[in-house]
Amino acid sequence: MDHLPEPQLGADLFLLHAPSVFDFRERDDMLFAYLSDSDSVNVTSVYEIYPIGWFSIKQRLADNGFDTKIVNVASLMLMHPELDVKKLISRFEAPIFGFDLHWMAHCQGSVELAALVKEVHPEALTIFGGISATYYAEQLIQYPSVDVVVQGYDTLDPVTELVTRVRQGRRDFRSIPNLLYKTDGEVQTTGFSHTPEKNYNNVRNDWSYYRDVTDAGPEGSKLIMTLPNTGCAHDCGWCGGSRFAYRNIMGVRRTLIQKDNDLVVEELRTMSEAAKRTSIYALQCYSENRTRMHQYLDAVKELGYKSVHFEQFSLTSPDILKKMGESTDSYIMLSPESHDLRISKAAGRGNYTMEQMEEWIPRALDAGVKGIMIWYFIGMPYQDRQSVMDTIAYSERLIRKFGGWGALPLICPMVPFLDPGSQFFEEPEKHGYTIHHRTLEEHRRAMVEPLWHRRLNYSTNWLDRRQLQDVSYEAISRLVEIKGEYGVLPAGFCKAVLRTIDETRTLLGEMERALELDKKLPADLRDQIRDYNRKVLSYTNDQIMPVPRPLGGRWFDDATVPPELIQDVLVSSAAPSQVRGA
């Protein structure tokens, strides 16, 4: 009897997003602890969100006649614990596989996933790109699983030319700018000359694939992101996308480059009627001028988007507030980092006082803004334990004054890493920091440390790594208690969060004691770790509404691999101990 052919998936380029730790499903020697991913966005500690710039690469290649498929391997591994990743990769047919190393959280998983691709498809080309890939290009290219590193904040032209040549059967990349690549094991470089100051990312991202995706949250609600510019005009010392970092990593003087606003509006139109049940997280709109913001808000209103969350660096001006209030259900995300102006300024913010913010909040709400979220950060210069807890006390004042949801305070630790390339990373002593991991390999090893405070690549003169971990749990616990006391969050939510924090701290303590006494984790503790990891990685959560959400339906969850192919690569017949292996 003839066997049916195994389902395959073909492309000119696969873009594969790896989990932070590639074999996370097998790990019983490290804790994916609650809050170790800051819990500030709707992702797990596996960091299953990929950079939105992949849409631009996909569209540019489509415009040139090439098929690019984005596969979120991290998301698939979370949603299908029995997924055989090697078998899945074997069903992909392409001459090139691309990997994002944009955020350092993926430094372990991305290199390991590339190694698996090289094992399964030895003739295929593996390419890396992103901010972190650019920063560590010379170290990254040394890994056997890495064939090409594409440097820069705009890789559209180099990647298009590279795909064109590979599809023509050519592997001579000497005239393509911004590449490090290997020829017979020797590393070649083509220089770093492609640094455009206009027409950056000038393609329309296409969200049409997401219109009919199901399981997208309550009542089919969807969330997309827009990114109208790249780089930054500001200089927050902890940020790898700051003006300082871009000048040093990307070798440019002009560090804020705006996308054609007409393309941003066209992008919004691709959701069509689904816009009415879609929210937007508007990234980096704090760098948009008045004219561009008005055009954006007019499009949001015309297309009927359900709501928009706007990142704002300063206190938004009255005319923009009015426009926000008229366009949709608008929310503003402020991030002063600390209630203390000295700390706020040292962090790169500090352009308004808390008194000025308190005077501005009623004006924003009166203009029709639905709510303001005020983010504070743990791990800043001059910030000791008392300062963090003073921020929590100030947060209680905000909740008492504005009722909670009108002005909602939130706090998170800077984890797992201080961005390489940022001012604090490059000039640590000057700003009161100590760097514990500096090379790419040191960061990769840190990602699999059992205890998350050891993963941190920094400490400060005011808080060591263990203190950063402890004060994070202390501060967030107290803030959750306050929100319960004032009725901002239901008591049941608060009790559940506090139970999870207690369980996490207890388990971390037991692990630390075992490692100190015996230098290893006993079998019964490993069982607890495995059970804990499986539990916290079975749902997503965030601080704004700390309720477990089922996986799936987010814009970055995989929508590429057909269900029948997924079913065909599940290890359904494996023994329980094998099921979670990759």
Side-chain angles (χ1 to χ4, degrees):
M1 180 178 176
D2 293 335
H3 291 288
L4 293 173
E6 295 179 335
Q8 305 285 330
L9 204 60
D12 297 299
L13 167 67
F14 274 102
L15 294 174
L16 305 182
H17 179 68
S20 57
V21 175
F22 179 63
D23 56 348
F24 72 91
R25 297 177 301 180
E26 299 175 332
R27 305 303 296 229
D28 59 4
D29 59 345
M30 61 174 289
L31 202 69
F32 291 93
Y34 183 66
L35 296 182
S36 64
D37 62 344
S38 86
D39 193 42
S40 62
V41 290
N42 188 22
V43 297
T44 72
S45 299
V46 169
Y47 291 94
E48 63 274 17
I49 185 171
Y50 56 77
I52 201 167
W54 270 9
F55 287 159
S56 301
I57 293 173
K58 179 182 172 81
Q59 188 61 48
R60 172 61 67 85
L61 287 169
D63 292 343
N64 283 268
F66 297 111
D67 176 28
T68 303
K69 287 186 169 65
I70 298 172
V71 177
N72 192 335
V73 176
S75 173
L76 288 172
M77 291 172 75
L78 281 170
M79 295 179 67
H80 305 283
E82 298 179 356
L83 185 79
D84 185 327
V85 179
K86 184 174 182 179
K87 195 172 180 182
L88 175 69
I89 297 298
S90 73
R91 303 296 181 84
F92 297 163
E93 292 294 334
I96 312 173
F97 290 82
F99 306 85
D100 59 304
L101 186 49
H102 194 61
W103 304 293
M104 280 299 289
H106 298 103
C107 63
Q108 198 274 354
S110 61
V111 173
E112 298 305 313
L113 181 59
L116 180 64
V117 169
K118 292 298 287 184
E119 178 187 341
V120 176
H121 301 288
E123 299 304 314
L125 201 69
T126 56
I127 67 173
F128 277 71
I131 291 178
S132 298
T134 299
Y135 181 86
Y136 281 116
E138 292 181 0
Q139 295 179 34
L140 182 59
I141 194 65
Q142 300 298 328
Y143 288 90
S145 61
V146 182
D147 293 327
V148 181
V149 179
V150 189
Q151 301 174 98
Y153 57 88
D154 179 352
T155 61
L156 300 183
D157 288 351
V159 168
T160 301
E161 182 58 29
L162 185 145
V163 173
T164 301
R165 293 194 190 184
V166 171
R167 264 311 189 194
Q168 292 170 345
R170 301 160 59 196
R171 293 287 180 106
D172 182 355
F173 306 139
R174 283 175 293 180
S175 63
I176 304 176
N178 295 30
L179 300 189
L180 277 77
Y181 67 99
K182 293 170 186 157
T183 301
D184 298 325
E186 293 293 317
V187 175
Q188 313 290 328
T189 179
T190 63
F192 199 158
S193 60
H194 182 67
T195 56
E197 292 195 0
K198 59 182 181 180
N199 295 332
Y200 164 79
N201 198 12
N202 242 26
V203 294
R204 182 206 68 183
N205 291 340
D206 188 352
W207 289 97
S208 60
Y209 81 95
Y210 190 46
R211 292 195 298 239
D212 299 321
V213 170
T214 56
D215 301 324
E219 300 175 358
S221 178
K222 300 174 187 292
L223 174 68
I224 66 171
M225 291 186 177
T226 55
L227 181 63
N229 53 64
T230 192
C232 195
H234 302 294
D235 244 346
C236 301
W238 45 269
C239 181
S242 65
R243 179 174 59 189
F244 174 95
Y246 257 66
R247 284 180 174 170
N248 285 278
I249 298 173
M250 304 303 180
V252 294
R253 299 305 300 168
R254 184 183 173 199
T255 60
L256 177 66
I257 301 172
Q258 291 174 315
K259 185 173 178 176
D260 185 330
N261 206 42
D262 289 342
L263 291 176
V264 178
V265 173
E266 286 180 30
E267 186 176 317
L268 292 175
R269 293 188 188 282
T270 61
M271 281 301 284
S272 191
E273 285 298 306
K276 293 177 175 58
R277 57 183 188 278
T278 300
S279 298
I280 304 171
Y281 196 108
L283 295 160
Q284 295 183 197
C285 56
Y286 48 75
S287 294
E288 294 294 274
N289 61 36
R290 180 179 180 275
T291 300
R292 284 171 62 93
M293 276 296 288
H294 277 235
Q295 290 174 334
Y296 182 92
L297 288 163
D298 285 341
V300 164
K301 182 178 181 179
E302 175 200 340
L303 297 167
Y305 273 90
K306 182 180 176 181
S307 66
V308 184
H309 287 72
F310 295 94
E311 291 183 343
Q312 295 285 270
F313 192 90
S314 304
L315 300 176
T316 313
S317 62
D319 66 305
I320 299 292
L321 288 174
K322 183 173 184 292
K323 197 83 169 172
M324 285 179 175
E326 293 170 348
S327 64
T328 184
D329 285 354
S330 295
Y331 298 85
I332 289 176
M333 315 282 283
L334 292 176
S335 46
E337 314 302 22
S338 172
H339 75 290
D340 184 327
L341 191 61
R342 181 192 186 200
I343 295 172
S344 187
K345 284 183 175 179
R349 303 299 170 107
N351 57 347
Y352 53 87
T353 66
M354 294 298 92
E355 290 75 19
Q356 289 170 325
M357 184 181 75
E358 286 185 41
E359 292 172 1
W360 169 87
I361 288 170
R363 295 200 294 270
L365 298 175
D366 288 345
V369 172
K370 297 297 182 185
I372 296 141
M373 292 159 200
I374 303 158
W375 283 98
Y376 297 109
F377 220 13
I378 300 172
M380 297 297 97
Y382 307 115
Q383 190 183 49
D384 57 15
R385 177 196 167 278
Q386 187 58 52
S387 174
V388 173
M389 298 313 294
D390 287 347
T391 293
I392 299 303
Y394 177 72
S395 297
E396 181 174 4
R397 168 190 167 90
L398 286 176
I399 289 171
R400 188 168 58 244
K401 186 170 183 178
F402 297 107
W405 288 104
L408 183 70
L410 303 134
I411 192 166
C412 66
M414 180 168 64
V415 290
F417 301 136
L418 171 64
D419 287 353
S422 69
Q423 213 163 345
F424 295 168
F425 188 90
E426 301 302 319
E427 304 170 345
E429 297 85 3
K430 180 178 175 182
H431 301 282
Y433 284 75
T434 299
I435 302 302
H436 299 277
H437 323 307
R438 189 160 285 281
T439 68
L440 176 57
E441 185 58 25
E442 286 169 351
H443 282 91
R444 280 172 37 78
R445 291 174 183 170
M447 280 304 296
V448 294
E449 279 282 354
L451 305 166
W452 73 257
H453 75 265
R454 294 187 189 174
R455 291 172 213 154
L456 296 176
N457 67 352
Y458 73 98
S459 57
T460 75
N461 290 349
W462 305 272
L463 290 167
D464 64 29
R465 291 190 291 176
R466 175 60 186 274
Q467 290 169 330
L468 281 161
Q469 173 182 293
D470 290 346
V471 76
S472 295
Y473 285 120
E474 185 181 1
I476 292 173
S477 293
R478 179 61 193 135
L479 186 54
V480 169
E481 288 175 352
I482 291 168
K483 289 176 179 176
E485 290 165 8
Y486 286 88
V488 179
L489 293 173
F493 283 13
C494 298
K495 288 176 181 176
V497 172
L498 295 172
R499 276 197 305 271
T500 300
I501 290 176
D502 286 345
E503 179 187 3
T504 303
R505 297 187 77 174
T506 298
L507 198 48
L508 286 168
E510 291 175 1
M511 292 170 65
E512 191 167 13
R513 282 189 292 274
L515 291 168
E516 286 174 354
L517 289 172
D518 303 321
K519 309 298 182 188
K520 64 179 182 179
L521 300 168
D524 60 334
L525 187 54
R526 283 177 175 260
D527 288 342
Q528 290 182 55
I529 293 167
R530 187 186 302 108
D531 290 344
Y532 176 98
N533 287 342
R534 289 180 179 178
K535 181 175 69 175
V536 298
L537 295 177
S538 66
Y539 60 85
T540 67
N541 209 330
D542 63 53
Q543 279 193 50
I544 297 169
M545 182 56 72
V547 57
R549 298 183 182 89
L551 298 165
R554 300 163 296 179
W555 68 263
F556 48 84
D557 283 314
D558 191 79
T560 301
V561 182
E564 58 272 19
L565 199 161
I566 293 172
Q567 287 300 314
D568 204 49
V569 296
L570 297 181
V571 193
S572 56
S573 59
S577 61
Q578 299 173 304
V579 160
R580 303 190 78 88

